[in-house]
Amino acid sequence: MFFVPSRIRAVAAAVVVLFAADGYAANEIKVPSKGEKEVNRLIQKKSRYTSEEREAERQRRMGVIDRTNTVFTLFGGEMALQKGDAGTALATYMVSLNRTKSPEVAERALEMAVSLNAFEQAEMIYQKWREIEPVPGPAQQRMTWVRNLLMGHADQKLSGLDEVLRNATEEQTQRIFLLLAQAAVQQQGLAARAGKEVHKAAAKYPDMPEAAIADVIFSAQEGSERNAVAAMQRLAKLDAEILPPTLLTMRLVAQRHPQILNRFFDKTDTADLSPMWQELEISSLIASRQPDKAYTRLQQLLAANPNADLYIQAALLSANRKEDVSITDNYLEKAYNTGTREQQGRAAIVGAMRYADMKNYAGAKKWVNRISASEYVFDQAVLRASIAAEEGDMAAALAEARRAEKLPEQQGRFFGAAELQRVYLFALAQSGKPQTALAELNNIMAKAAKQPDAAERLPDILYQRAMVYEKLGRHQQAVADLRRYNDLNPNSAAGMNALGYTLLVMPDGKQYFDEAFRLIQTAYHLEPESAAINDSLGWAYHLKGDSQVALPYLEYAYREYPDAEVASHLGEVLWQLGQQEQAKRIWHEGLQKEGDQALLKATMKRFGVAVPRTQQPVRKAK
């Protein structure tokens, strides 16, 4: 049952009771007495209303009751959505739709479903709407177009876009442009096919930030730098404060098309822009690896107008330049002490990420707990789940991730649903319950395969399911998932390394050795500083019979990531090279680390080294 705050509940009860009295009197079946009949005849004789008019009044009152109940039911749905209970919110709207048969209710329910990426529920609502309204009205026609867009059924030129926008209110137009931008991000090739159409449509709304956002995304994805830069310049003037949709757009452009962002700042006089956009210039310079230029520009801005936003930028630049954490922390404290709640939240997230990168999880959690701005609720939840996973507390990571999944907004300022899914899948695969994890991963896989953005969702699921298959000894299935992962991500060093190492350690791995070695070598050339890849390459050389060549790779891997599995490999190579005492030292150190303890103990026993019974791996610092 849905509960609303007490005062609202009391008002609702009073309204319902007031109208319920009329409804009950009108519907109660009762045989009047002789005296009552006389009274009724007298009332009818003296009444100014006919019996038909009285019946009409009764119907009017019943209508008021129905509308009141509907209003409060829908109000409950909206409150449920705000509290993060999307399932209750959608169910509430579906119940109301069945009762009211209202196109307005159907439109809101469908909007809610698609904004939450709840495509199964969206389709149920859509089919119910078509049943209720066989001849589509304007609202259904508009939402049918939106549905086709998000389900990937729109044609190459987005036919019907002009008609949809022509019949939409300003608020509906804003939402349509944002949904267009969302679709362009999720559907590969859409922008290339329809970029010119969206650019022309956006030009008709020169004062609408949402239109500029869609224009930026489509033009950038299409490869039209000139249009993208022009749209970005328009957006900079329309949205001086950089609201969340604008920030997400800039993040996307910075990640996928950094040259466009650089060109925007080269061709734009940032002195005419708001401080928020000036600070974004600093971020762009940092991201494009121009720290000295960023530092010079930042000092100019700080001298003119020191504020919390600039302190946050200074902290980011400090981290980028690998300065001592105390310097970064000092900038963040200044930002936190002088900033608004939103700025405090941003500073706290930067601080949490900086400490997490250093594996100082106590410091990371200290900053996470200082986040109180509503804008960063989702980011805070993702960070908490990530930190728990990094600490090795998979139960806490799963609990935090599940809480985050229930939030109404699945997109923060720093992290989105993709990052949350990545943390959740990792924690699930590492949870220590492989059979349970496999069942859930199979269920997640089946649902993801039906979504329009399946190509983006499936790789992470495949990778983590392969890890679970490996734990269960189902090597062929692990290999199949990793091959499919690499098909979807042909340039992924992590994917090549995972497939190569899995082939390497299979019971019949000798027949796959050449393929495994090539995969790991290619991964190494892509990411030579990866501890995991160095471990794989060192172990491959050892299995090939080149222990001396293997040693520096394994020493580097153990120095960068000293876990039990790497300790097992390094110790074995040292033993083969005649350094038995050094090997024993590494193995005993490894018993204090996290990782594959079973492998390490089996290795020690194979070489006749006793395993202390009382040794327990030390958990990472909280």
Side-chain angles (χ1 to χ4, degrees), residues 314-358:
L316 288 168
L317 186 55
S318 168
N320 181 267
R321 300 176 78 183
K322 299 188 183 303
E323 294 179 336
D324 189 88
V325 69
S326 63
I327 297 174
T328 307
D329 214 52
N330 181 52
Y331 283 129
L332 292 174
E333 286 292 352
K334 287 181 178 179
Y336 198 90
N337 293 331
T338 61
T340 64
R341 182 165 290 189
E342 186 279 329
Q343 291 166 326
Q344 289 176 337
R346 196 157 16 112
I349 287 177
V350 172
M353 291 193 290
R354 178 74 175 102
Y355 277 97
D357 285 342
M358 298 169 55

Side-chain angles (χ1 to χ4, degrees), residues 568-582:
S568 171
H569 292 161
L570 176 57
E572 184 164 339
V573 168
L574 288 168
W575 190 283
Q576 293 293 348
L577 293 173
Q579 302 179 44
Q580 282 84 3
E581 292 305 315
Q582 179 73 349

Side-chain angles (χ1 to χ4, degrees), residues 76-94 109 112-113 115-118 121 125 403-410:
E78 293 292 335
M79 291 292 288
L81 182 64
Q82 291 301 315
K83 288 189 173 185
D85 192 351
T88 297
L90 281 173
T92 299
Y93 265 88
M94 291 179 74
M112 186 184 293
S115 68
L116 295 166
N117 289 331
Q121 292 91 332
I125 294 166
R403 275 195 284 272
E405 285 181 328
K406 294 179 181 179
L407 293 172
E409 293 294 335
Q410 291 295 293

Side-chain angles (χ1 to χ4, degrees), residues 114-174:
V114 297
S115 68
L116 295 166
N117 289 331
F119 293 113
E120 290 183 21
Q121 292 91 332
E123 191 62 17
M124 290 172 59
I125 294 166
Y126 175 70
Q127 295 301 334
K128 184 65 178 178
W129 193 357
R130 292 190 63 185
E131 178 187 322
I132 291 169
E133 191 180 40
V135 179
Q140 190 186 135
Q141 291 173 2
R142 179 170 55 254
M143 290 308 295
T144 297
W145 189 91
V146 170
R147 166 190 171 271
N148 290 338
L149 169 71
L150 295 177
M151 296 295 287
H153 300 156
D155 62 24
Q156 292 191 355
K157 292 189 176 181
L158 295 183
S159 298
L161 174 58
D162 287 341
E163 183 71 18
V164 165
L165 294 174
R166 190 179 304 116
N167 295 318
T169 64
E170 182 179 0
E171 184 179 351
Q172 290 163 346
T173 300
Q174 292 168 345

